[in-house]
Structure formats: structure tokens, C-alpha cells
Amino acid sequence: MTDQPPVSLAFLDEVLVGVLVLCVVLALVVVLSRIRIARRRETVKQRLAPLRHDLLAVGAGEDESGQARSRLAQDREAGTDLDRAVVDLLTKVRGTPADDLVSVLRERDAVAKARRALGSRSSVKRARATRTLGLLRDPALTLDLVRMLDDRSGEVRIVAARSVGALGPEAGPSAAASVLRAVRSRRSAPGVPATVAMGTLTQLGVQSEPAVALGLTDEDAGVRNVAAAVAGHSLFLSCTPRLTELAAHDPDRMVRVSATEALGSVGRPADVEPIARLLAPHEPPAVRRAAARALGELGGQMAVDAMVRVLADDDRSLAVTSATALSQSEHGRSAIRAVSLDDDAAPTARSAVAGVLQMLDLRDTGRGAR
Amino acid sequence: MSPDDIIPGLREVVIDVLAAVQWPVLVYFVLINTSYLIFIGLAAWDFVHHLRRVEQTGRQERVASEFVPPVTLVVPMYNEAAGIVQSIQSLLSLRYPHHDVVGVDDGSSDDTFAVLKEAFDLVEVDREIPADLPVKAEVLSVHVPRNGRTPLTIIRKTNSGRSDAVNLGINAAGGELLVFVDADSILDPDALMTVTVPFADDPTRMVATGGVIRAANGSRVVAGRLVEPRMPRQLLPRIQVVEYLRAFLIGRAGWSRLGALVLISGAFGVFRRDILVEVGGLDTDSIGEDFEVLMRVHQHLKREGRDYRVKFVGEPVCWTEVPSTAKVLQKQRARWHRGLWETLWKYKHMMFNPRYGKVGMLAVPYYWFFELIAPLLEFVGLLLVVLGLVLDVINVPFAILFMLVAYGYAILVTLAAMTLEEMTFRKYARWRDLGTMLLAAIAENIGYRQLTAWWRLQGWWASLRGQKQVWGTMTRVGLGGEEGKT
């Protein structure tokens, strides 16, 4: 056996010591991290234990004398742990208990602290502060919250958007415009999530209509998509012409689908024809199916006729979607029953409606088809 | 020729080979393990932001939101009579505003359909299933619950394999988003809410997401729900827990952060339906169909110049039973590696091709050099060490030192992954489980690692020889067969 290791790899023993030391350190970190978290939880639990009954009483609206609220407001030992517990509880209650919890936060100076924390260097602190201020539902804080929609941290922007939504219509139209702007991606960072923005704009009600109308012309597909969904959901009639344009010509397929579905909600009889045109074979399958669903929402003879025409289409997904959409209205149900009984109807059309009719029967009667 | 004539020559060869490969092997070994450490760093960044984002986005509000996209869960099943009812019930009761389940019985020879029929009071309907994707099998019948309201469809078909069953499920699905789930897997109650968040957040660009797969062996399961994660009792599943943690949770989160995720597990993946139809669905001839389909999606969308995203979400958990015997594990690993090789070979044109962005320039080369070749190098390295020892050309203390450094670094990587897990998701709450995981991180390197390297090579070799791939049966103990299971 050779006596000496290759000289070129002689440093391995030092590497081994380094690796072993790091392994031990990591194992210790795992164990210590678990101990630290368990201790922290226990400490918070013990600090809040004397106040738990008061918290529950205020949260449940059972503090008629106001003594529990007063004790919570005056307590200084539980510090920020109590503030956080009140904020957590505030997310779960409405009405008088929520008002009482807000007054507890105000008396504990938590609002002033939160406003100061909006300028903190820590994104976690800024997010918590924004959340606290949002839960107060105080229109006087609108500007503070709207400003946070431009925060450098994505998480803070999300909280700010939700908080603006919590203010409701009192936040005003400019807040809606800021929310839509925040949907845009910033370099590699994603914007405010579409569903959060949609929820917020819906909460702002008619105040968001001008911003939504403008959003439909935005250069960012994500913004147009959010605006289209909100326009449909909130029944913003002024958006209908632009929605029709987007449904027919937007370069982004998802935006076309959202705009078409929105037209199904907000559209009028005059919109049936442009939607029916989207059933044409040259259109993308997803847009055609969205058009079928939209026509099902709109209803009316013209819409029903257009949907019946595609029951025999080569795109069988479209045919089945049309049959399902038809089943949503009495007029449509009559039409598909007529197709199923018509010996001259294309076999493919009859095939598309057969299963839908059976499902209708099952729902109506609760009895089996076979 | 006598051994005395051969041995000196062989010694010379081994000495030359060792001298030639010692540095390349060392560099390779440092690179592969350092890449894992980089992934851990990227995953840490991803998890922290994910957890904050989930906390701030309002999970409760999402459940009631009208803006979340409808989802269809596609569940291929083959001879799953033992647990299918519980599994479907569990899927139907997931928290999500609009989801339905399409189960595809792939010609089971047991009572899979019979038990479903009885449990859900199924009746046959003449529902037409569109042919958006070509399907080899013949559809025998379509069934729905008699009440007409439970969002469940069961399709019976002739046996044609998992991929074909999934393609049929895609055809039958009504949701814009499709979630593929294995029938024997258990999803966390909020798994659908969380794994679809990227689609709800960025609907115009997101095309696929994947959730994390963890080992369910040993955990407490009640009524189809995993209520307490626990470490398995058996050694092989224990090691797989830490292996999945490092490779699936951390590795994929790292790739996702880099924007070059090329693999979403077939046991729990979400895809936009229209994209799957565009690319032709799952390849029924591929043994690594989950890898292959995502590579095809990347190829298609990059060629069309579309702006799109594929993301891994570390939190929603799909719990699955991992192999507990060496025989089953061997088949699984051989199949995985064969699928890896066949897919990489099929898409070799993407390698270092700037047209495919980070996928072509980063992910594909990495998978070639560090996923495909790793078991070969590991095995050849071990062979050389053994030969060197036998032929007396290696210093024994030095050989031991080398192995300790090699496997010590591997243990370090696993411990780093465990540290990240402990600081983020912390699924295993018991101290006993933590201790078992620490031991498993060490045990993985003693025998298990070498065996799996050998099995992976077998899979690769079988493919090179053109051997026909047989899926075989994954023998399962069942999620009610171990401690704590009810």
C-alpha cells in the first residue's frame, strides 16, 4: 500500500473539519430554532393569559360595562403582543365588537405607532402597520394607505391594496386608479395579485368605474385583464364599448376571454351580435367557449340561436359548453330539448345536449337516468 | 495470462485513471453540492416571500372570492379499490370555491368502480366527452352521482396507461385549470387554494404550477386527511423523507426562483387546460411524462415568443406513500432515470440554445450534467476507489478521508435543507421526528445513495438497450398500515 496520499489533495483533512463543524452548527441551528420558537410562543401565551377573557369578551360583543375594553386599553405589560392579538381579532369581527377593538387600539396608541412604522426599513413592520391601519376602516387614513401601494415591497403593496378595499367607496376614485396601477409588474417583481386588486376594486364600488374604464386601455395586459373582470362583475355599463373591442381584438388571449365573459354579465341585447361573432371557427377555442358562456348569461332568442348553431361544431368542447350554457335559461332549455327530439338535427348536436339534459333531469328529480 | 501478469498492468491503468480524474471529479463534486447550496439560498428567499405573501393576501377571503378560476381535479386510477372512496371524498371536500373532480378508471381489474358506484350512488349518463386530445382507449361509460349536484364525474375506459387516462380526463374537464392528482395521494385541505394562487395573481402569464410532494408513510391519517405528519418507522421511507425535502422541496423551489423550472411532479401539478390542449397533452409513449410535458410546454411557448411563467409553490402539500421495500424503490428509481434520459435526449436541441432562454441555457444543461450523469460518476468513482484499495494503489486513510469529505458535504447540504424547513414550514412537530430526520440525513449516505445510483444506471442502461418499459405495480402498504394510522 502506498504510504502517502496524493500531494495535490492533501488539504482534504482541513476541508473535512470544516464540513463537520458546519454540519454540527446546522444541526444546532435546527434544534435551537425549534426551542426559540417554542419559548416565544409560551412567553406570548403567558403574557396574554390574564387578558384572554377580556379579549374574548370584547371580541364577542359581551363587554356591556366597557370594563374589559378599559383593561385592555390600559394594560402596558403585554405590549405589542396585545396589539397584535387585538389586530388578529379585528380581522374576524364586524360591527360593535370591531368598533370596540378599534377604540382599544387607538387608546393604546397603536394607531400612532403604526403610522410611524409605515416608514420603517423593515418590510414586515411596514406590512403589519399597513394592515393595522387598514383594519381601522378610517377614510382619514386613505392617503397613508394609497401611498403604501407604491411601496418597494410586494407584500406591503398587497396589504395596502386590501386595506384600501376595506375602506369601501369612501376611499374615492383616485384610490381605485392607484390600485390598478399597482397591478403592473415592476421589473422582475410581480405587481399586486390580480385577485386582490379585483376584490379591492369591487369593494370600492362605483367609485372605481372611471379607473376601471381607463384600465381597459392600459398597455399592461394584466391591468386590462383585472379591469375587464371588475367591469363585468360590477356591471359598469360605461365599459361595454371598450369591452367589446377587447373581446374582439386584444392581443392577449386571456384578456379577450375576460372581456368576453364580462360582456356576458354587463352586456345588453345589442351586445349579443358581437359576442356571437366570437363563435366563428377562426377564433381561438378559449375565446369561442367564453363567448358561448357569455351568450348563456345574456340569454334571449338571438343568443340561443347562436348557441344552438354551434352544437354541431367540430370543436366538441365548444358544443358541450354551448349545451351547458343553454341549460342555464328556460328559453335555452326548451331549445336543447327541441334539438334532442328533432330527428333531423345533426347527430353531433343531439350528442352534445344528451348528457346536459340528463344532468338537468337528475338535478330536477333527484332520480337516476338509468 | 496469469493474475500476476494482469495485476501490474491493471495497477498502472488505475493509477493513471485516478491521477487523471481526481481533480475533475473533485470539481464536479464541489459544483454539484454547491449548486444545491445555491438552490437552498434561492429556496429560502422564495419560501420567506411566499409565506409573507400568503399571510398578507388573505386566505380566508380567497375561499369566498368570485375571482378565483374554476378548477378540475383529474384523478387517474387503476386498481385503487382499497382507498379510492376516501380519496375522492377528501378531494371533493377541499377548500375551494369552484372545483370538480373527474376520476378516470383505467380499466381496473379490481372493484374500483363498484365501490365508487355504491359510495356515490353513481348513475350512467350519455355525456359527450370532447376529443380535444387524441385518446387511445375506448370510453366504456360516464357516470355522475344521482343527486346531480355532487361535482364528480367517473369515466370508465379500457386499460391504456396513466398518461392516456389523464388525457381523457383533460378532455372531460370543464375547469380552466387542471390539477393532476394520483388517486393514492392526500392533499392538505387548503392545497388547492394555495397551489392556484399564482394563476389567480397573474392570470395572463401563469401556465403551470407544482406543489410539493412529501412522504406520508407513518403519518396520522383520519378520514382521508393527514392530520399529523410523522416520520415513518422503516428506514427506506425515513431516508426518502429527507431526500424529498432536499431534492423536491428545495431543488424545485430554487429552479422556480431562477425562472427555469422544468419539472412538475405528475402526482400534484396544475396546468392551464388550453395550454395542455395546444401542446397535445401527455405523451403516452413517454415514461417520464410529467417532465416531458413541461419541456414541451416550454418549447412551444418559447418558440411562439409568449411571455409566460411556471412556478413551484412550496407550501401546499401532496402527501404520498413512498416505496418501503428495496424492490419497489429500485423499479421507481430506474423508471425515473429512464424518463429523465429519454426526455433529455428528446429535447437535446434545447441544450445551450438561447432561443429557449434560461431553460435552454441553464436548466437543460444542469439536468444533463448534474442529474443524468451524477449516478454514473458516483458509481465509477466508487468502483475506482474499490479497485484502488484492492490493487493497493490508494492510501487507506486517505480514501476514508476522501469519502468522509464527499459524504460530509452531502450531509451538510441535507442539513441546510432541514434548517430551511425548520425555519419555514416546520411540518414535523415532534422532537422524536426531528431526531429521526437528523439521523436519516446521515444514513442516506451509507448504502442508500450508492444503491439508488446503481438502480438509476440500470434504468438508463435499459433504455439504451431499447428494453421495453413496463410500469409495473407499485406495491403499497397503505396509509392505514403504520403507526398512528386510523
Side-chain angles (χ1 to χ4, degrees):
Chain A
M1 180 167 292
T2 53
D3 295 330
Q4 296 298 318
V7 176
S8 57
L9 296 177
F11 60 89
L12 280 181
D13 49 354
E14 281 128 38
V15 175
L16 178 63
V17 172
V19 167
L20 289 180
V21 167
L22 276 174
C23 284
V24 173
V25 167
L26 283 179
L28 280 173
V29 167
V30 169
V31 172
L32 291 176
S33 146
R34 184 168 282 207
I35 291 171
R36 188 183 63 82
I37 289 165
R39 279 196 176 166
R40 168 79 188 134
R41 277 191 190 146
E42 191 54 37
T43 308
V44 172
K45 199 175 157 188
Q46 281 177 4
R47 271 192 199 160
L48 293 178
L51 301 164
R52 184 155 299 280
H53 182 76
D54 291 339
L55 266 174
L56 290 175
V58 175
E62 291 170 357
D63 179 37
E64 287 167 12
S65 65
Q67 287 179 347
R69 187 167 60 84
S70 175
R71 279 193 294 273
L72 291 173
Q74 285 162 19
D75 182 88
R76 291 292 172 263
E77 284 181 25
T80 51
D81 290 333
L82 179 56
D83 293 346
R84 278 186 206 162
V86 173
V87 167
D88 284 344
L89 197 54
L90 195 48
T91 61
K92 295 167 190 151
V93 296
R94 292 283 183 277
T96 309
D99 294 340
D100 287 346
L101 290 169
V102 166
S103 71
V104 168
L105 285 175
R106 287 189 188 280
E107 286 176 48
R108 289 180 60 77
D109 206 26
V111 179
K113 275 191 269 180
R115 288 185 81 166
R116 281 196 298 276
L118 291 179
S120 165
R121 291 178 69 181
S122 156
S123 63
V124 173
K125 284 184 183 166
R126 292 200 305 279
R128 280 188 186 146
T130 309
R131 183 172 176 237
T132 302
L133 295 180
L135 286 167
L136 302 179
R137 295 184 170 83
D138 181 354
L141 295 167
T142 304
L143 275 179
D144 284 322
L145 297 174
V146 166
R147 205 171 56 238
M148 299 313 282
L149 285 168
D150 287 323
D151 193 273
R152 58 186 180 277
S153 155
E155 286 78 34
V156 177
R157 294 197 296 271
I158 292 173
V159 188
R162 291 177 62 209
S163 301
V164 168
L167 296 174
E170 289 185 62
S174 64
S178 301
V179 170
L180 263 177
R181 245 193 335 270
V183 172
R184 287 184 202 148
S185 307
R186 305 168 173 218
R187 294 187 210 104
S188 62
V192 165
T195 42
V196 172
M198 289 172 189
T200 297
L201 292 167
T202 307
Q203 285 174 296
L204 297 183
V206 288
Q207 294 290 342
S208 65
E209 187 163 359
V212 167
L214 201 62
L216 292 172
T217 61
D218 198 279
E219 60 183 20
D220 187 300
V223 174
R224 294 198 301 278
N225 192 57
V226 168
V230 175
H233 184 271
S234 303
L235 305 178
F236 291 156
L237 286 172
S238 66
C239 298
T240 314
R242 180 65 188 151
L243 284 173
T244 311
E245 275 176 48
L246 291 181
H249 304 298
D250 196 277
D252 189 285
R253 195 195 304 166
M254 285 298 288
V255 176
R256 293 188 69 189
V257 168
S258 295
T260 307
E261 286 175 344
L263 277 173
S265 304
V266 75
R268 290 160 295 188
D271 297 311
V272 168
E273 196 187 335
I275 300 175
R277 278 201 294 270
L278 299 176
L279 292 171
H282 66 268
E283 296 289 0
V287 174
R288 298 181 82 195
R289 284 198 295 274
R293 287 193 293 270
L295 290 171
E297 289 286 326
L298 283 174
Q301 189 59 49
M302 208 173 151
V304 168
D305 290 346
M307 287 187 282
V308 168
R309 275 197 295 275
V310 293
L311 288 175
D313 196 275
D314 288 341
D315 180 347
R316 301 311 298 154
S317 279
L318 173 67
V320 173
T321 304
S322 275
T324 309
L326 280 163
S327 73
Q328 287 170 0
S329 68
E330 193 51 50
H331 208 62
R333 284 196 282 275
S334 303
I336 54 176
R337 284 192 201 284
V339 169
S340 72
L341 298 170
D342 181 3
D343 291 339
D344 294 332
T348 47
R350 294 175 68 178
S351 164
V353 301
V356 173
L357 282 172
Q358 277 178 300
M359 288 302 291
L360 279 176
D361 290 342
L362 286 172
R363 270 178 218 145
D364 290 345
T365 64
R367 287 196 298 274
R370 287 176 193 176
Chain B
M1 287 172 79
S2 70
D4 289 343
D5 298 328
I6 296 170
I7 286 172
L10 192 58
R11 282 192 67 187
E12 288 303 313
V13 170
V14 172
I15 288 169
D16 288 346
V17 171
L18 279 172
V21 302
Q22 63 180 6
W23 275 107
V25 165
L26 195 69
V27 169
Y28 180 87
F29 157 79
V30 169
L31 278 178
I32 192 168
N33 282 296
T34 306
S35 73
Y36 289 145
L37 285 177
I38 291 169
F39 285 140
I40 287 169
L42 290 166
W45 197 93
D46 198 60
F47 291 165
V48 167
H49 281 264
H50 166 76
L51 288 172
R52 282 190 202 158
R53 223 172 155 79
V54 165
E55 183 193 336
Q56 309 298 1
T57 310
R59 201 190 291 255
Q60 293 300 326
E61 289 165 26
R62 273 176 190 276
V63 176
S65 172
E66 294 173 52
F67 295 112
V68 297
V71 166
T72 297
L73 291 126
V74 176
V75 191
M77 44 204 183
Y78 179 73
N79 289 350
E80 308 276 358
I84 193 64
V85 171
Q86 217 172 46
S87 174
I88 297 287
Q89 273 168 344
S90 160
L91 294 176
L92 286 169
S93 62
L94 291 172
R95 282 177 7 121
Y96 197 80
H98 342 275
H99 77 283
D100 69 312
V101 177
V102 172
V104 184
D105 181 8
D106 185 27
S108 295
S109 54
D110 69 353
D111 290 336
T112 299
F113 176 70
V115 295
L116 282 171
K117 186 176 183 201
E118 190 183 340
F120 295 100
D121 193 14
L122 298 176
V123 290
E124 188 175 343
V125 290
D126 289 331
R127 184 180 149 186
E128 179 181 350
I129 300 192
D132 292 340
L133 296 173
V135 174
K136 291 175 182 170
E138 180 195 345
V139 175
L140 301 173
S141 54
V142 183
H143 304 258
V144 297
R146 190 182 299 271
N147 63 23
R149 286 185 170 76
T150 306
L152 172 67
T153 305
I154 300 294
I155 305 170
R156 298 184 77 192
K157 63 183 265 290
T158 53
N159 180 260
S160 58
R162 183 185 180 278
S163 297
D164 205 42
V166 170
N167 283 342
L168 183 58
I170 294 170
N171 284 341
E176 295 165 25
L177 298 182
L178 306 181
V179 182
F180 303 145
V181 191
D182 282 350
D184 51 12
S185 298
I186 299 171
L187 297 187
D188 279 348
D190 279 334
L192 266 192
M193 283 306 305
T194 320
V195 80
T196 56
V197 161
F199 290 96
D201 288 355
D202 193 359
T204 56
R205 292 187 296 186
M206 197 60 60
V207 296
T209 62
V212 69
I213 312 288
R214 289 187 188 240
N217 308 46
S219 297
R220 261 190 81 214
V221 178
V222 176
R225 285 271 165 87
L226 194 140
V227 293
E228 187 188 6
R230 290 181 182 174
M231 283 295 280
R233 273 185 170 177
Q234 294 162 296
L235 181 63
L236 278 182
R238 275 181 181 177
I239 293 173
Q240 287 171 83
V241 169
V242 292
E243 189 191 21
Y244 275 45
L245 191 67
R246 185 189 59 239
F248 290 176
L249 181 61
I250 307 297
R252 287 181 192 172
W255 280 116
S256 175
R257 186 65 242 151
L258 281 174
L261 183 65
V262 292
L263 179 53
I264 285 175
S265 173
F268 186 32
V270 190
F271 288 85
R272 241 170 67 183
R273 185 183 187 278
D274 59 332
I275 298 291
L276 277 178
V277 171
E278 263 180 57
V279 301
L282 268 60
D283 179 358
T284 52
D285 295 325
S286 171
I287 194 68
E289 75 286 352
D290 42 4
F291 184 28
E292 198 280 336
V293 75
L294 192 52
M295 288 293 285
R296 197 147 27 96
V297 166
H298 279 300
Q299 177 183 263
H300 173 71
L301 296 178
K302 289 282 183 196
R303 283 180 177 175
E304 292 218 326
R306 278 151 74 170
D307 184 15
Y308 70 97
R309 301 280 183 277
V310 176
K311 195 167 165 50
F312 175 81
V313 192
E315 194 203 0
V317 175
C318 173
W319 300 91
T320 192
E321 188 184 351
V322 299
S324 53
T325 65
K327 193 177 169 190
V328 179
L329 186 65
Q330 176 186 10
K331 282 183 186 166
Q332 184 197 56
R333 296 309 159 98
R335 194 179 70 239
W336 283 4
H337 209 71
R338 179 175 184 157
L340 177 74
W341 154 247
E342 289 178 0
T343 305
L344 285 175
W345 184 249
K346 183 175 176 182
Y347 293 94
K348 56 186 179 297
H349 56 276
M350 290 171 79
M351 176 108 138
F352 291 125
N353 189 337
R355 184 182 185 186
Y356 300 103
K358 290 178 193 166
V359 171
M361 298 303 287
L362 214 57
V364 173
Y366 182 94
Y367 271 74
W368 268 93
F369 293 122
F370 293 130
E371 294 287 346
L372 183 71
I373 295 175
L376 180 66
L377 281 186
E378 183 158 359
F379 188 74
V380 170
L382 278 173
L383 198 67
L384 281 173
V385 169
V386 171
L387 266 176
L389 288 171
V390 170
L391 297 171
D392 203 16
V393 297
I394 289 183
N395 174 290
V396 174
F398 175 76
I400 293 171
L401 183 66
F402 188 89
M403 302 292 273
L404 282 176
V405 170
Y407 292 123
Y409 200 5
I411 292 169
L412 177 72
V413 169
T414 307
L415 286 175
M418 279 180 62
T419 310
L420 180 56
E421 155 78 1
E422 190 61 27
M423 290 180 166
T424 51
F425 303 118
R426 208 179 305 111
K427 288 287 178 188
Y428 295 92
R430 301 189 309 173
W431 280 100
R432 190 198 310 177
D433 291 333
L434 184 63
T436 310
M437 280 173 86
L438 286 169
L439 291 176
I442 298 165
E444 183 190 5
N445 295 284
I446 308 167
Y448 178 89
R449 199 185 169 101
Q450 296 76 13
L451 264 178
T452 50
W454 172 238
W455 293 333
R456 287 162 71 187
L457 284 180
Q458 285 181 328
W460 191 0
W461 182 239
S463 175
L464 289 170
R465 283 172 55 214
Q467 258 181 11
K468 194 170 178 251
Q469 173 62 42
V470 181
W471 264 80
T473 308
M474 162 86 178
T475 311
R476 297 176 190 277
V477 176
L479 293 176
E482 292 189 48
E483 66 155 4
K485 305 288 183 62
T486 51

